[in-house]
Amino acid sequence: MSWKCGIIGLPNAGKSTIFNALTGAGAETAVYPFSTINPNTGVVPVPDGRLEALGKLLKPEKLTPTAIEFVDVAGLIAGASRGEGLGNQFLGYIRDVDLLVHVVRCFTAPDCPHPLNQLDPVRDVEIVETELLLADLEIVGRQRQKIEKKAKSGEKPAQAALAALQRVEAGLNEGKWAKDLELSLEDKEHLKAAPLLSLKPCLFVANVSEAELHGGPHYRALKKLAARREVPVIPIVGDLEAELAELPPEDRQEFLAGLGLVEPGINRLIRESYRLLGLTTFYTIVGPEVRAWTAPQGATAPKAAGQVHSDMEKGFIRAEVMSFEDLVKLGAAAKVKEAGRLHVEGRDYLVKDGEILLFRFQR
């Protein structure tokens, strides 16, 4: 299973610059609206200190990180929900992502004019969010009309689905995101037929200049908004990060140190995206490869095995489990087993973050 993060925002917010910094894929960047017409996609490795530690300890021939996918789509403008700009096309591209990464412009640049001629991050956020809510209202309205006749005829499932849609519709009309409403698991099940953008988790990326990063008014305004919304906000100097991504790996740390930074801001973005998606990392050691894998939090051992290969889930017998901490402390898997720290688990076992698993399965 692949997890996708959709990069959204107004034109000229720096979405493609952030995407380039994330992926090194060379997506086009330009200072005119809609330079990104077709979506750019890139699979991005997740920074993982534990995997690096396992590499140093075990010295495998191959060290493979887990990854998530980022999708860079066209800039959104007011009226997109009615088809303005590339509105409907844009909204279609982001309906199948799992997380919205909202890039908000917090920098001024004479050679890159703001599409509204004045910088105001809070207004920019509200424009984008309004269009998402309007698009959701349209979908909810269409879905409600489809099931109203069935509900009036007395069909219980249709009545329950209609009630859920009406609750969401009322919340959207009040400017509330569907994810912030008190919806039951049954409500969410009924809403699966209506792929709502406002049900998705979201974070803000403040695309800042170096000067703005250290106490600028635009970044401060966005932070206050994010605090009220309880939405994470990550500051990134987009141009600097894109420049960093073009350097050879051995030169990047020196570049960061010269700026007084420990790691790229992009790393924080990837990790926060991973966290908001509710994902966990487990590891396998097979032959010459140590590899990180992704599973939803609370996944059972067979479901985790299915991330490695579908045959492992189907033929699952058991999982041999050790913790990252035990392996690093004792230095070898054999010593973990000798110390009685290796445990064998069955189908109902819930995999914990950082565990190292060996799956036994019937072929």
Side-chain angles (χ1 to χ4, degrees):
M1 179 178 179
S2 175
W3 286 269
K4 291 184 179 181
C5 305
I7 302 176
I8 66 172
L10 289 181
N12 286 2
K15 300 182 309 302
S16 293
T17 299
I18 298 296
F19 177 81
N20 286 347
L22 278 164
T23 65
E28 179 187 3
T29 59
V31 295
Y32 51 88
F34 312 124
S35 63
T36 305
I37 295 177
N38 296 313
N40 296 299
T41 62
V43 177
V44 180
V46 176
D48 189 340
R50 288 181 305 210
L51 185 66
E52 292 176 10
L54 290 174
K56 291 177 182 177
L57 176 68
L58 303 175
K59 296 179 173 54
E61 293 178 16
K62 190 174 183 182
L63 199 65
T64 306
T66 190
I68 54 177
E69 185 175 350
F70 283 83
V71 182
D72 173 33
V73 297
L76 187 66
I77 63 171
S81 59
R82 303 187 303 275
E84 296 291 333
L86 297 172
N88 293 330
Q89 186 177 356
F90 165 93
L91 294 167
Y93 286 141
I94 61 173
R95 290 214 180 272
D96 67 344
V97 304
D98 304 293
L99 170 73
L100 300 176
V101 176
H102 188 166
V103 177
V104 185
R105 179 169 174 164
C106 295
F107 67 89
T108 57
D111 59 342
C112 183
H114 191 287
L116 300 178
N117 299 318
Q118 185 178 3
L119 185 60
D120 185 342
V122 174
R123 176 209 57 202
D124 292 354
V125 167
E126 290 172 349
I127 288 173
V128 171
E129 291 186 342
T130 296
E131 294 306 320
L132 299 183
L133 292 176
L134 288 172
D136 277 0
L137 273 170
E138 184 180 349
I139 284 183
V140 169
R142 289 202 305 263
Q143 192 65 22
R144 175 174 49 76
Q145 290 173 4
K146 284 182 181 179
I147 63 172
E148 278 179 337
K149 288 184 180 179
K150 293 181 180 179
K152 288 178 181 177
S153 70
E155 290 187 24
K156 296 296 183 183
Q159 289 175 341
L162 179 61
L165 287 167
Q166 288 172 333
R167 279 194 290 275
V168 171
E169 191 169 33
L172 293 173
N173 276 315
E174 293 175 3
K176 297 177 182 177
W177 281 52
K179 69 180 178 64
D180 297 326
L181 302 175
E182 293 183 3
L183 300 174
S184 67
L185 292 176
E186 183 182 5
D187 288 337
K188 292 177 181 178
E189 193 65 29
H190 289 308
L191 291 172
K192 284 185 176 179
L196 300 181
L197 297 165
S198 62
L199 271 176
K200 302 179 188 297
C202 178
L203 64 83
F204 294 142
V205 170
N207 190 6
V208 299
S209 63
E210 290 186 64
E212 186 74 29
L213 179 61
H214 301 292
H218 303 297
Y219 176 42
R220 287 203 309 270
L222 181 61
K223 285 201 295 183
K224 287 180 181 178
L225 176 66
R228 292 197 301 271
R229 301 278 185 83
E230 297 183 340
V231 173
V233 57
I234 298 171
I236 292 179
V237 184
D239 289 341
L240 184 150
E241 297 273 347
E243 181 182 347
L244 179 64
E246 294 178 358
L247 293 176
E250 60 272 14
D251 294 339
R252 291 176 188 172
Q253 202 57 46
E254 182 179 348
F255 183 87
L256 286 168
L259 297 167
L261 300 174
V262 176
E263 66 173 353
I266 290 297
N267 286 11
R268 298 197 301 276
L269 168 57
I270 296 169
R271 285 199 299 266
E272 187 64 23
S273 299
Y274 198 80
R275 184 189 70 80
L276 285 175
L277 287 170
L279 303 177
T280 190
T281 302
F282 68 92
Y283 304 90
T284 58
I285 304 170
V286 180
E289 182 181 30
V290 176
R291 182 163 182 166
W293 301 89
T294 296
Q297 289 177 5
T300 61
K303 288 294 182 184
Q307 300 299 320
V308 180
H309 198 286
S310 58
D311 288 348
M312 288 187 175
E313 181 177 1
K314 293 174 185 175
F316 179 87
I317 299 172
R318 65 180 184 274
E320 297 174 7
V321 185
M322 71 179 82
S323 73
F324 166 79
E325 291 78 11
D326 284 341
L327 180 56
V328 170
K329 180 180 178 180
L330 297 173
K335 291 184 178 179
V336 174
K337 185 174 183 179
E338 289 171 9
R341 301 293 297 171
L342 179 75
H343 50 107
V344 178
E345 303 291 349
R347 303 189 64 83
D348 296 331
Y349 181 72
L350 302 182
V351 173
K352 299 178 182 62
D353 186 58
E355 289 183 323
I356 299 158
L357 306 176
L358 175 62
F359 297 111
R360 303 293 187 183
F361 66 103
Q362 187 173 15
R363 298 180 185 274

